[in-house]
Amino acid sequence: MTYLKRTSNRLAQHPWVIAAFIIWAAAAFHILYGIPITHIRGDEALSFINTRPDLFTFLDNLFFWNNHPPLWYTNFWFWRRFAGDTEFAGRMESILFSMMTLAFVYRLGWRWFGQARHGLFTMALLGVNAVFFIYSLEMRPYAMNMLAASVNMWFFTRWLDTHRPRMAIFYGLSAALLLYIHYYLVFLIAAQVIYFMLIERPRWAVWKQGLIAGAAAIIAWLPWVPVMFAQIDYIRWRAENKGISEVGLATTTYDTSVRVIMELVNMATNGLPWLYGAILLLGLVIHWRQKRISLALLWGVAVPAMVLAVNIYANVYTHRYVSFMILGLGLAYGAALASLPRYWRVAALLAVMGASLY
């Protein structure tokens, strides 16, 4: 018993050891269990087809005959030539991105809610979450989306905590980086703007830094704007050729309906909406005085809500496009369970993880 107490105290003093163990366990789960049961779907096959040509032909196709920003596809072009053309190699890159994401949300949970265990609980819950699991394996931009979102949110909250102009510029550049990876990450920026204006409500000096951040993002994004308009023209041309009159990506999206919303809810809660709903409510009760719980919920709930609202007027929604929202929900889940009394929190975490895996 004395040995166990000493070990527990040592681990409490070095939480990074537990964090490293969770990352290794999650990586092993994804590699040994996830990859063998996952099969290539149509869009993943397109990832291989689109990155097959030589570099110049590939870039020409990407700029004028595609609808994606450049960073993920360019990264995948180079990754194939470095790691090989196998499905295993392709999924391994997504897993690497996802494990780095876990490291960032660990730091976010710790910084936002004050204790290392908040980050550790978030990591553990994301490690068994269906949305995180599925899109951590896909050979598409979604794992990179989650990593970029966590990095961007780190800079956002660092800036708000320190009020340093340099951090504001870093945040602005990270916001531009989001849009070079996936256009839908603009909804995360929108959630941050809502938080900044309605919840943070900073003094005028910080508002001026916000303008600097916005200027940095716009300047960094401007080189891609002409290409983005060319891609929009390509989307319109493709829709006209297929006889599609709707606005957006009608061939790959879902309608905004109760069924579609419940599908997303079930994925985000591993089919246990009542359990995770109770956890979110618990988090709100415990952390209602802390602004960061609002930021986590804006990330996890407002982002898909905004996309679903836009989807009423333009075909822009499918589950995978908003998969990065799971990090916000994970932070809210982790904050709730990690704030339970000492002798309850680990038991509750293990029970929720077991139910989620089942």
Side-chain angles (χ1 to χ4, degrees):
M1 195 68 170
T2 303
Y3 173 77
L4 290 175
K5 286 183 178 180
R6 288 177 180 173
T7 303
S8 177
N9 290 335
R10 288 173 183 170
L11 289 175
Q13 293 171 3
H14 302 286
W16 64 268
V17 176
I18 305 175
F21 173 78
I22 293 173
I23 289 173
W24 280 108
F29 180 57
H30 283 70
I31 295 169
L32 300 178
Y33 174 73
I35 291 179
I37 68 167
T38 306
H39 304 284
I40 293 179
R41 65 180 186 85
D43 279 2
E44 291 181 301
L46 282 177
S47 298
F48 281 93
I49 294 170
N50 291 339
T51 56
R52 184 180 298 159
D54 64 88
L55 181 59
F56 293 105
T57 304
F58 156 72
L59 290 175
D60 179 69
N61 292 339
L62 175 63
F63 288 0
F64 302 109
W65 304 99
N66 209 311
N67 58 356
H68 288 275
L71 280 189
W72 182 82
Y73 260 113
T74 304
N75 149 83
F76 194 66
W77 189 94
F78 282 103
W79 177 261
R80 287 182 64 184
R81 280 133 187 95
F82 168 75
D85 283 339
T86 65
E87 179 184 353
F88 180 84
R91 297 202 189 282
M92 276 302 302
E93 186 192 34
S94 295
I95 292 172
L96 288 172
F97 285 142
S98 303
M99 297 307 105
M100 288 189 282
T101 299
L102 288 182
F104 267 98
V105 295
Y106 163 64
R107 295 296 302 175
L108 283 172
W110 188 347
R111 188 174 189 89
W112 285 13
F113 300 106
Q115 298 290 336
R117 66 174 182 271
H118 294 99
L120 294 173
F121 276 49
T122 299
M123 294 172 71
L125 291 169
L126 285 175
V128 297
N129 180 269
V131 173
F132 188 82
F133 177 79
I134 291 168
Y135 297 110
S136 292
L137 290 164
E138 280 220 1
M139 293 176 289
R140 297 293 286 171
Y142 310 119
M144 184 184 276
N145 287 355
M146 289 191 281
L147 176 58
S150 61
V151 172
N152 167 259
M153 194 63 82
W154 170 259
F155 281 119
F156 179 63
T157 50
R158 281 279 293 169
W159 164 48
L160 293 182
D161 289 343
T162 62
H163 295 167
R164 294 176 181 173
R166 182 178 64 179
M167 293 307 302
I169 293 172
F170 285 158
Y171 162 64
L173 295 176
S174 71
L177 178 68
L178 295 182
L179 300 182
Y180 276 106
I181 296 172
H182 202 278
Y183 294 131
Y184 278 66
L185 288 165
V186 71
F187 289 99
L188 179 63
I189 300 171
Q192 293 167 343
V193 171
I194 293 170
Y195 175 83
F196 182 78
M197 296 176 64
L198 301 183
I199 298 173
E200 189 72 17
R201 291 183 291 183
R203 62 181 187 271
W204 174 238
V206 183
W207 271 96
K208 289 190 289 186
Q209 292 178 9
L211 295 175
I212 293 171
I218 291 170
I219 291 170
W221 174 243
L222 278 177
W224 187 252
V225 171
V227 180
M228 182 182 69
F229 282 114
Q231 290 181 334
I232 292 172
D233 289 339
Y234 165 69
I235 293 170
R236 289 173 179 166
W237 171 81
R238 190 174 65 174
E240 289 172 0
N241 278 3
K242 293 184 177 181
I244 298 171
S245 59
E246 292 92 342
V247 177
L249 303 171
T251 57
T252 61
T253 53
Y254 306 137
D255 59 334
T256 297
S257 64
V258 174
R259 176 186 61 81
V260 169
I261 293 170
M262 288 309 301
E263 284 179 0
L264 179 62
V265 169
N266 281 321
M267 286 178 65
T269 62
N270 287 48
L272 300 168
W274 57 271
L275 175 61
Y276 281 92
I279 293 172
L280 287 180
L281 182 60
L282 176 66
L284 282 171
V285 170
I286 294 174
H287 296 285
W288 68 276
R289 291 181 180 273
Q290 292 181 272
K291 293 179 180 179
R292 294 300 188 254
I293 193 69
S294 301
L295 184 55
L297 292 176
L298 281 169
W299 188 352
V301 178
V303 164
M306 285 188 285
V307 179
L308 285 162
V310 173
N311 192 59
I312 296 172
Y313 306 99
N315 297 292
V316 297
Y317 177 81
T318 191
H319 304 322
R320 59 186 181 273
Y321 294 165
V322 297
S323 54
F324 59 91
M325 60 88 181
I326 198 59
L327 305 182
L329 287 176
L331 284 160
Y333 298 152
L337 293 185
S339 299
L340 290 173
R342 180 176 182 180
Y343 296 104
W344 286 85
R345 65 176 74 115
V346 174
L349 174 66
L350 294 176
V352 172
M353 291 176 66
S356 300
L357 283 171
Y358 177 77

